[in-house]
Amino acid sequence: MDPTGSSLHAEAASLRAQGPATQVALPGGVVAWSVTRFAQIKALTSDRRVSRDPRRHWPALAEISDDWPLSALVLPESAFNSYGPEHRRLRGLISTAFTPRRTEALRPQVQRIVDRLITDLIAVEPGHPVDLRATFAYKVPTEVICDLFGVPSELRPWMRRVIDAALHTAASPEQAQADFLDLRSCMAALIADKRAHLDQDMTSDLITARDAEGQLDEEQLIGTCILMVGAGSETAVNLILKAVHALLSHPDQLALLRIGTVTWGHVIEETLRTEGPIEHMPLRYAVEDIDLGEGVLIKAGDAIILGFGAAGRDPAVHGPDADTFDATRGNKEHVAFGHGPHFCLGAPLARMEADIALRALFETFPNLTLSDPGQVPPHQESFVANGFRELSVRLSPGPAAV
């Protein structure tokens, strides 16, 4: 796997053509089975023979060094990296924060954040290039999740830095080790602050579950904070930015949106299909031998990396134009938020954040354009996250157009 993620879609297409699963080398020399076909990904995510717990089901864990670039994703103890009854228990502790009712209750808060950021953008000189990631797309979900978990303002810059670093799969071993230690230190600082100032937020609830109810040990508490703050921001950041780029790169699709032929819901789902925010998700492990057919046998203990973003472009599901962004297509089926027991709890929140943010942006700036329409924006150095490092646009306020 290219650790820089420079050609995610081309790499995924090449892997998909080789069979239902293909062995790949990950950073640190770790070998895993890459799965990029839609049908096999859906099957494996619901298969009891597939685990996410490296401590129980990945013998190679004993050989992993402290400077492995994927440590921040694979090693923290949480619902993300657990299996069976333990996964259901840990997931139950955080699922209450993302019920439909509690998600909908966040709508006014999301709207206030978006409105404030739009006001800041209006103050930018018309036509002046602005990085939409840094000034808008990045801030919306990160502020929402930091509010939800009660992250104090003085910790937020540190929190944003360590979450970004966790997805940098091209980091050197030395940098990866330093980043992982920094990530843990940041979460420990958050927990210490909230222990001293318990409040009505998710971190306080988790601390209560740890200290008063004994439902979490300290490693699980840290790991759960890493999971929720990281996953709760990155997916929506990439979704918002990729949707903006898709519409500005396909003016015909933007025109259909303006006249009501397609809706924002159509745009968001097509973005999730063609540009899933997470391209490859490490890791899963075979609990026992799994025969995928076509001569592919995943043996017990083997590692598996699923291409959730790649699955949306599978021609077997979406035909020969699977790579084409077309919000009018009938079948927009994807697994951008995963599938099965580990389906992303924050999916409704990410969709809501994207809907509110995109509506406000295109209503306020109907003549929004890319600064360099012929250039591909710089990509995050990651084969896990499918996102831009920046997206330069030119803003032109005007009357509502969508």
Side-chain angles (χ1 to χ4, degrees), residues 20-361:
T22 304
Q23 285 192 305
V24 297
L26 302 179
V30 171
V31 175
W33 288 95
S34 167
V35 184
T36 52
R37 292 182 181 178
F38 190 96
Q40 279 74 27
I41 288 175
K42 286 194 73 173
L44 289 172
T45 51
S46 300
D47 195 323
R48 64 169 183 80
R49 298 172 298 172
V50 178
S51 168
R52 290 215 55 153
D53 189 337
R55 292 165 180 82
R56 291 178 59 188
H57 299 118
W58 192 33
L61 178 63
E63 304 168 12
I64 295 299
S65 62
D66 293 338
D67 58 5
W68 188 40
L70 299 184
S71 291
L73 297 170
V74 173
L75 299 186
E77 297 182 36
S78 67
F80 189 70
N81 294 321
S82 57
Y83 172 74
E86 181 67 354
H87 167 253
R88 290 190 289 273
R89 184 183 74 83
L90 293 174
R91 186 179 172 95
L93 293 175
I94 56 179
S95 62
T96 56
F98 297 98
T99 62
R101 177 177 295 180
R102 293 193 72 172
T103 298
E104 185 59 30
L106 291 171
R107 182 177 293 276
Q109 178 183 346
V110 176
Q111 188 69 61
R112 285 193 296 271
I113 291 171
V114 169
D115 290 345
R116 174 170 53 79
L117 295 173
I118 289 292
T119 299
D120 292 343
L121 290 177
I122 290 174
V124 176
E125 181 182 350
H128 190 274
V130 61
D131 178 7
L132 198 64
R133 184 182 194 273
T135 58
F136 185 69
Y138 188 84
K139 291 184 176 181
V140 174
T142 53
E143 291 198 22
V144 171
I145 204 69
C146 282
D147 287 349
L148 185 62
F149 278 77
V151 181
S153 58
E154 63 271 19
L155 277 183
R156 294 191 179 194
W158 187 10
M159 188 72 66
R160 291 191 289 266
R161 185 179 75 245
V162 297
I163 292 301
D164 281 351
L167 297 166
H168 184 206
T169 56
S172 68
E174 296 78 13
Q175 187 62 51
Q177 184 173 18
D179 288 341
F180 189 32
L181 292 173
D182 197 27
L183 173 65
R184 290 180 55 83
S185 296
C186 181
M187 294 304 165
L190 169 62
I191 292 166
D193 179 89
K194 300 311 296 183
R195 275 201 172 109
H197 309 93
L198 288 177
D199 204 346
Q200 299 297 313
D201 57 65
M202 194 62 196
T203 306
S204 296
D205 291 348
L206 291 172
I207 290 170
T208 300
R210 160 73 179 106
D211 296 348
E213 302 170 21
Q215 297 184 65
L216 292 168
D217 62 32
E218 196 68 14
E219 285 301 310
Q220 290 171 336
L221 177 58
I222 291 173
T224 300
C225 288
I226 291 174
L227 161 66
M228 298 310 298
V229 177
S233 57
E234 186 65 27
T235 50
V237 172
N238 293 345
L239 172 56
I240 293 168
L241 217 58
K242 289 286 186 172
V244 171
H245 185 260
L247 288 174
L248 298 184
S249 301
H250 299 82
D252 59 320
Q253 297 290 304
L254 181 55
L256 292 176
L257 177 68
R258 294 195 190 284
I259 64 175
T261 301
V262 298
T263 66
W264 280 114
H266 294 143
V267 169
I268 289 169
E269 294 309 306
E270 182 67 351
T271 302
L272 289 167
R273 184 192 71 80
T274 57
E275 297 287 355
I278 299 298
E279 184 73 3
H280 301 282
M281 180 54 71
L283 283 173
R284 284 169 165 79
Y285 320 94
V287 176
E288 56 187 79
D289 291 357
I290 303 172
D291 187 349
L292 290 186
E294 299 183 40
V296 174
L297 178 67
I298 300 178
K299 295 184 178 181
D302 284 356
I304 304 167
I305 180 168
L306 299 183
F308 288 116
R313 291 176 173 241
D314 189 344
V317 178
H318 295 290
D321 66 342
D323 289 333
T324 302
F325 180 88
D326 179 6
T328 68
R329 73 171 69 238
N331 178 16
K332 300 182 183 67
E333 190 176 6
H334 59 79
V335 286
F337 292 113
H339 184 260
H342 284 272
F343 181 80
C344 178
L345 286 168
L349 177 59
R351 285 185 168 103
M352 182 177 74
E353 290 169 339
D355 182 82
I356 292 173
L358 292 167
R359 287 176 187 272
L361 184 69

Side-chain angles (χ1 to χ4, degrees), residues 2-5 27 69-70 73 165-171 381-384:
D2 174 8
T4 69
L70 299 184
L73 297 170
L167 297 166
H168 184 206
T169 56
E381 289 193 325
S382 177
F383 61 76
V384 173

